[in-house]
Amino acid sequence: MCAALGWFPGPLGNPGIGPFLWEKLAIPVGLIVPVGAIFLALLITDRVYREGRYTGREAAIIATGFSTVSATFMLIVASTLELMDRWTLYFIVTLVVTFAVTAITVRIPPLGTIPDEPHEDAEHDPEPEARGNRLRHAWDEAMRALHTAPSLPRGTWATFRDGVLMSSAIVPSILSVGLAGLLLATYTPVFDVIGWLFVPFAWLVQLPDPALAGKAVSVGIAEMFLPATVVASHPSEVLRFTVGVVAVSQIIFFSALVPSILATSIPVSVWRLVVLWIERVILTILITAPLAHLLLLVV
């Protein structure tokens, strides 16, 4: 209510906290989720899971491994880090690293220990195994889906309704969980302490200023844009490039994605998300930094 009225008392009045959460996250997410659902009548991960077409592990992998940010956000990150002259390289490396990190994390805990079972209220309807001519098989499956799909108005209404319900659950979570994370990042040394978890890995791959690198990547769990702000003025292009990739590849952050996942029936708990975030950050640092050392010299 306070945010809707434009009243942010005390520390919430910091432009990077209360107004940022409301104007840059809550309002856009509240509008994009239901509107976007209209145009995504064939695939919302949570709905497909509840229908039995994804197992819990498959839904968790998709939600935590590929629900990354848009190219528009990447442009903002690259601009903040003064990497626009390296845009093509930054985009390609981020894409490759994100897929590589996901390929690794799906095979280890905590994702690897999620039961490969359907939703408790649904009968599993796995994708049939393709045999023979794959193109013909794909065409037949497309025609089968077309014949069994609801009409466009019914499908659009159903996904819009799901989007509105999900949006009503996501926005309050963004304003509460995201607020807690941003307050900790701004007014406490919590993330300075967490950052030391990543310092050895930053040192191992010879990132300049490992302590600053550790702090920068640690604040990403609160809001994925924050790492870019920490190293924006650092003279090392290798450090800025690596942190820029981590900001996107980490995927897990409390101001938006975590509340979004918790608002669904996908079987991923908070502790699993935190452990997964740590794994993704470490793997991204280990993969990206050597690439940055090499590619920034020759490209």
Side-chain angles (χ1 to χ4, degrees), residues 219-234:
V219 299
I221 195 171
E223 161 53 39
M224 65 189 316
F225 183 67
L226 293 180
T229 65
V230 175
V231 298
S233 60
H234 198 278

Side-chain angles (χ1 to χ4, degrees), residues 255-271:
S255 67
L257 186 74
V258 171
S260 299
I261 293 177
L262 296 180
T264 70
S265 54
I266 298 173
V268 185
S269 59
V270 172
W271 78 265

Side-chain angles (χ1 to χ4, degrees), residues 12-204:
L12 275 63
N14 185 323
I17 299 181
F20 172 79
L21 281 173
W22 179 249
E23 297 171 9
K24 303 298 183 182
L25 292 174
I27 293 177
V29 170
L31 294 175
I32 288 173
V33 171
V35 173
I38 296 175
F39 303 100
L40 293 174
L42 298 179
L43 184 52
I44 297 177
T45 303
D46 181 50
R47 185 176 181 186
V48 175
Y49 168 56
R50 287 187 280 109
E51 290 175 350
R53 286 182 284 167
Y54 285 161
T55 65
R57 182 181 299 173
E58 291 169 342
I61 289 170
I62 293 172
T64 61
F66 299 102
S67 299
T68 188
V69 299
S70 64
T72 304
F73 175 85
M74 293 177 66
L75 282 169
I76 297 173
V77 172
S79 177
T80 301
L81 295 173
E82 298 182 3
L83 295 173
M84 286 307 296
D85 59 330
R86 305 280 195 178
W87 165 249
T88 302
L89 179 64
Y90 171 66
F91 182 85
I92 293 175
V93 170
T94 301
L95 180 67
V96 171
V97 170
T98 299
F99 271 83
V101 169
T102 298
I104 296 171
T105 55
V106 299
R107 291 168 171 79
I108 60 177
L111 284 182
T113 59
I114 295 177
D116 200 23
E117 299 173 352
H119 190 275
E120 59 183 7
D121 297 327
E123 182 178 348
H124 190 30
D125 182 22
E127 182 177 349
E129 183 178 351
R131 291 188 174 87
N133 189 315
R134 288 184 176 269
L135 184 60
R136 179 64 186 176
H137 177 80
W139 177 262
D140 291 341
E141 285 298 307
M143 292 301 100
R144 183 177 70 86
L146 179 63
H147 288 303
T148 58
S151 65
L152 181 60
R154 288 184 60 190
T156 300
W157 168 249
T159 53
F160 177 74
R161 181 189 60 207
D162 287 347
V164 171
L165 294 174
M166 183 173 290
S167 181
S168 66
I170 291 172
V171 172
S173 297
I174 289 176
L175 293 174
S176 57
V177 179
L179 175 63
L182 289 178
L183 287 173
L184 288 173
T186 306
Y187 297 109
T188 74
V190 168
F191 291 105
D192 294 85
V193 176
I194 296 175
W196 285 101
L197 175 66
F198 306 109
V199 169
F201 302 97
W203 174 85
L204 181 65

Side-chain angles (χ1 to χ4, degrees), residues 101 104-105 108 278-288:
V101 169
I104 296 171
T105 55
I108 60 177
I278 294 173
E279 292 176 349
R280 293 192 68 92
V281 171
I282 291 174
L283 289 170
T284 302
I285 292 173
L286 294 178
I287 297 172
T288 305

